[in-house]
Amino acid sequence: MVKAADRAKNPARSSVWLETRTSRSGGGPAGLDRDRIVAAAIRMLDEEGLAKLSMRKLAAELNVTAMSLYWYVDTKDDIIEYAVDTVYGEIDLAAVDAAGDWRDRMRVLALDYRRMLVRHPWMSPCAGYYLNIGPHAIAVGGKIQETIRDTGLPMDRQPSAMSAVFQFVYGYGTIQSQFESRAAQAGMSQNEFYGESIKAFRDDPQFMEALEPMTDLLDERASHGSVTEIWDRDFDYALDVLVAGIEVMVARESAAGTGT
Amino acid sequence: MVKAADRAKNPARSSVWLETRTSRSGGGPAGLDRDRIVAAAIRMLDEEGLAKLSMRKLAAELNVTAMSLYWYVDTKDDIIEYAVDTVYGEIDLAAVDAAGDWRDRMRVLALDYRRMLVRHPWMSPCAGYYLNIGPHAIAVGGKIQETIRDTGLPMDRQPSAMSAVFQFVYGYGTIQSQFESRAAQAGMSQNEFYGESIKAFRDDPQFMEALEPMTDLLDERASHGSVTEIWDRDFDYALDVLVAGIEVMVARESAAGTGT
DNA sequence: AGAGTCCTTGTACGGTGTACGAGACCTAGT
DNA sequence: ACTAGGTCTCGTACACCGTACAAGGACTCT
């Protein structure tokens, strides 16, 4: 029989989800449970960040020794992979179905996806690192696919359009959550942090050279409202661009299909 | 006077680039040098990945003790931040200028950016984690901005369009490099790895349910050519979508500008 | 009472980033 | 020539990390 530890040591093992899963539900004295472990991990990740999470601290949070966790999980990485998938589950897929046409549904999904990434700043690096093939991530993927299908694009173009939209959302969510958590870490409001960054740039001639064409814009933005509003407004407009682009491509494909 | 170590310990310190930099060029017996350290770090990161890089191993590579590195650098994180910026420097900005209109320039830049991310699989998580405000990253940002400016979009819309394009490139590069390095780690070709993943899905009823609408497509793709070609083709088409979207928005904005 | 299964723990190993202080070298000033 | 100070390297040490291993407690079944 292959032991759990051996499986985990296999360098070709790409994901927890590609293993035959054992439930190991917790009838033990500590009332432990993989769900409870993952939930605690998520809480700690949200509060302290990815770098600060350790098995010992996580165990302490659950009033247990570090090694107890290994009964439910093969490695620390597995906990994080479970956490990632659990957080994918926070995206409200029912709300997507409730929305109108594909444009609305895509918007609702994109907004909720981004909100999720920003709410959990550790998610972006993790989601970029692991194969996201847990049940919740797959469900989100399926919903994205469903949404794109209704655009009317030919099937072999749909994955490409999916990428255009949701890789953008991922990238955007990444830098936004990055920015926000840096600001929080520095103990500043987002507006303050933005202002300080601009000021630091302005003092450095090297930056000014490369960014010269941008400075007017940066100033204008700094004085123009809260940073949060700018994030929202830019995101919205980018989605407009994507919707418009898809519409054009649909028209083109159908024109090509009918022989011009 | 503020010592280097104290600066590094400051929790509000957001980036190496926001500090007054001391050059510390290496006239020492070991011929060390910050550039040499960073170059070695990049080589090791490319070969072994982010998780395997340690100060001791990096130092050994340079025939030096771990602590020697700290003369040139405050923390390990700083080395990585320098490495990230150095790799941004690999993007060929001159080639962008040589290309034709904004569509071509945007394409050239996007392709090279993606190539860079795929060539250095550790880049995506790192670029997502650090503020990318080193000189090379800023230069790339400036070039992106220059490119987008020529679309004719009003200035306050340009950052949004920049996001749409280059956050997409970042996201796309992230999953592609992720996929490729997983395949390599598993000792398979990309086609083999793709096939194995599909097979694993097919054996799991839970996956099949969520992905049911996609399976035909996945099969079609698996039989349709090399995975590498698919990556390229999808990326290209997504850029088409983005270009088309920007063109539409330009037309709309100018229509609105002239009062319809 | 004994055996077996499930869960938790203590201990220990080899690794990590890096603080601190002691040197080795070189260069400048007297 | 001799010293002083700056520049660079190293050895040691600390606290912490992920986790292998084996021993134990609790509970169930026979």
Side-chain angles (χ1 to χ4, degrees):
Chain A
M1 181 217 168
V2 184
K3 287 208 334 216
D6 294 335
R7 273 195 283 114
K9 265 189 296 192
N10 175 5
R13 193 182 83 127
S14 312
S15 168
V16 237
W17 306 108
L18 292 177
E19 302 296 324
T20 48
R21 270 149 281 153
T22 54
S23 65
R24 315 225 115 162
S25 51
L32 225 47
D33 189 316
R34 202 174 59 202
D35 287 349
R36 257 166 53 73
I37 293 174
V38 172
I42 292 173
R43 207 178 330 117
M44 292 186 69
L45 285 166
D46 286 343
E47 283 166 14
E48 312 252 19
L50 184 56
K52 293 281 189 61
L53 183 72
S54 83
M55 294 298 271
R56 283 178 240 258
K57 276 188 277 196
L58 176 56
E61 190 84 358
L62 294 160
N63 298 314
V64 127
T65 21
M67 290 313 293
S68 297
L69 306 177
Y70 284 92
W71 181 254
Y72 302 91
V73 130
D74 286 345
T75 65
K76 182 192 176 186
D77 258 34
D78 287 2
I79 296 181
I80 299 176
E81 219 176 330
Y82 285 125
V84 166
D85 195 65
T86 303
V87 166
Y88 267 113
E90 292 179 3
I91 296 177
D92 185 356
L93 299 182
V96 176
D97 290 331
D101 70 349
W102 66 267
R103 282 158 267 251
D104 292 331
R105 294 215 301 283
M106 201 181 88
R107 256 208 160 65
V108 170
L109 188 45
L111 278 165
D112 214 24
Y113 194 168
R114 177 176 71 121
R115 251 198 306 273
M116 180 271 277
L117 289 174
V118 172
R119 194 165 48 226
H120 305 289
W122 48 276
M123 262 299 278
S124 287
C126 293
Y129 180 72
Y130 300 102
L131 294 175
N132 300 302
I133 53 178
H136 290 116
I138 293 280
V140 171
K143 190 59 71 185
I144 292 175
Q145 206 268 339
E146 249 179 76
T147 305
I148 295 288
R149 195 177 27 177
D150 296 341
T151 57
L153 277 175
M155 198 163 103
D156 63 325
R157 296 309 196 178
Q158 289 173 18
S160 195
M162 278 177 55
S163 292
V165 178
F166 289 92
Q167 298 309 331
F168 156 70
V169 175
Y170 169 74
Y172 198 92
T174 300
I175 57 154
Q176 186 185 348
S177 80
Q178 163 63 10
F179 178 89
E180 292 198 12
S181 60
R182 291 272 166 177
Q185 191 184 331
M188 302 188 209
S189 79
Q190 292 188 47
N191 283 334
E192 284 164 358
F193 191 71
Y194 183 78
E196 288 297 317
S197 307
I198 300 291
K199 206 186 301 169
F201 286 164
R202 203 171 292 296
D203 293 344
D204 190 320
Q206 195 173 19
F207 290 146
M208 289 309 289
E209 187 191 350
L211 285 184
E212 176 271 323
M214 244 193 292
T215 50
D216 291 350
L217 178 58
L218 292 175
D219 283 345
E220 192 234 26
R221 305 205 133 210
S223 65
H224 212 278
S226 80
V227 175
T228 321
E229 282 165 17
I230 294 178
W231 283 116
D232 289 346
R233 215 178 55 111
D234 281 358
F235 187 76
D236 250 38
Y237 191 80
L239 287 182
D240 287 342
V241 171
L242 284 157
V243 168
I246 291 173
E247 285 170 345
V248 169
M249 297 311 273
V250 169
R252 270 190 217 162
E253 297 277 358
S254 74
T258 59
T260 315
Chain B
M1 181 216 167
V2 185
K3 287 207 337 215
D6 293 335
R7 272 193 285 115
K9 266 189 296 191
N10 175 3
R13 194 183 81 126
S14 310
S15 167
V16 238
W17 306 108
L18 293 178
E19 301 298 324
T20 48
R21 269 151 282 152
T22 53
S23 65
R24 316 223 116 165
S25 50
L32 224 49
D33 188 316
R34 201 174 61 203
D35 286 350
R36 257 165 55 71
I37 293 174
V38 172
I42 292 174
R43 207 179 330 119
M44 293 185 70
L45 285 165
D46 286 343
E47 283 167 15
E48 311 253 20
L50 184 57
K52 293 281 187 61
L53 182 73
S54 83
M55 293 300 270
R56 285 179 240 259
K57 276 187 278 196
L58 176 56
E61 191 85 356
L62 294 160
N63 298 312
V64 127
T65 21
M67 289 313 293
S68 296
L69 305 177
Y70 285 92
W71 180 254
Y72 301 92
V73 130
D74 286 346
T75 66
K76 182 190 177 188
D77 257 35
D78 287 1
I79 295 181
I80 299 177
E81 219 176 330
Y82 285 125
V84 166
D85 194 65
T86 303
V87 167
Y88 267 113
E90 292 179 4
I91 297 176
D92 185 356
L93 299 183
V96 176
D97 290 331
D101 70 349
W102 66 267
R103 280 157 270 251
D104 293 331
R105 294 215 301 283
M106 200 181 89
R107 257 208 161 65
V108 170
L109 188 46
L111 278 164
D112 213 26
Y113 193 168
R114 177 176 71 120
R115 251 197 306 274
M116 179 272 276
L117 289 173
V118 172
R119 194 166 47 226
H120 305 289
W122 49 276
M123 261 299 278
S124 287
C126 292
Y129 180 71
Y130 300 101
L131 295 175
N132 300 302
I133 52 176
H136 290 116
I138 294 279
V140 171
K143 190 59 73 185
I144 294 175
Q145 206 266 342
E146 249 179 75
T147 305
I148 295 287
R149 195 177 27 177
D150 297 341
T151 58
L153 277 175
M155 197 164 104
D156 63 325
R157 296 308 196 180
Q158 290 173 17
S160 195
M162 279 176 54
S163 293
V165 178
F166 289 92
Q167 297 310 329
F168 156 70
V169 175
Y170 169 74
Y172 198 90
T174 301
I175 57 156
Q176 186 185 348
S177 79
Q178 163 62 8
F179 178 88
E180 292 197 12
S181 60
R182 291 273 167 177
Q185 191 183 334
M188 302 187 209
S189 77
Q190 293 187 46
N191 283 334
E192 285 166 357
F193 191 71
Y194 184 79
E196 288 298 317
S197 306
I198 300 292
K199 206 186 299 169
F201 286 164
R202 202 171 292 298
D203 293 344
D204 191 318
Q206 195 173 18
F207 291 147
M208 289 307 290
E209 187 191 349
L211 286 184
E212 176 270 323
M214 246 193 291
T215 50
D216 292 349
L217 177 58
L218 292 177
D219 283 344
E220 192 233 26
R221 305 203 132 211
S223 64
H224 213 278
S226 79
V227 175
T228 322
E229 284 165 16
I230 295 178
W231 283 117
D232 289 345
R233 214 179 55 112
D234 280 359
F235 186 76
D236 251 37
Y237 192 79
L239 287 183
D240 288 341
V241 170
L242 284 157
V243 167
I246 291 173
E247 286 170 344
V248 169
M249 297 312 273
V250 170
R252 268 190 220 163
E253 297 279 357
S254 73
T258 59
T260 312

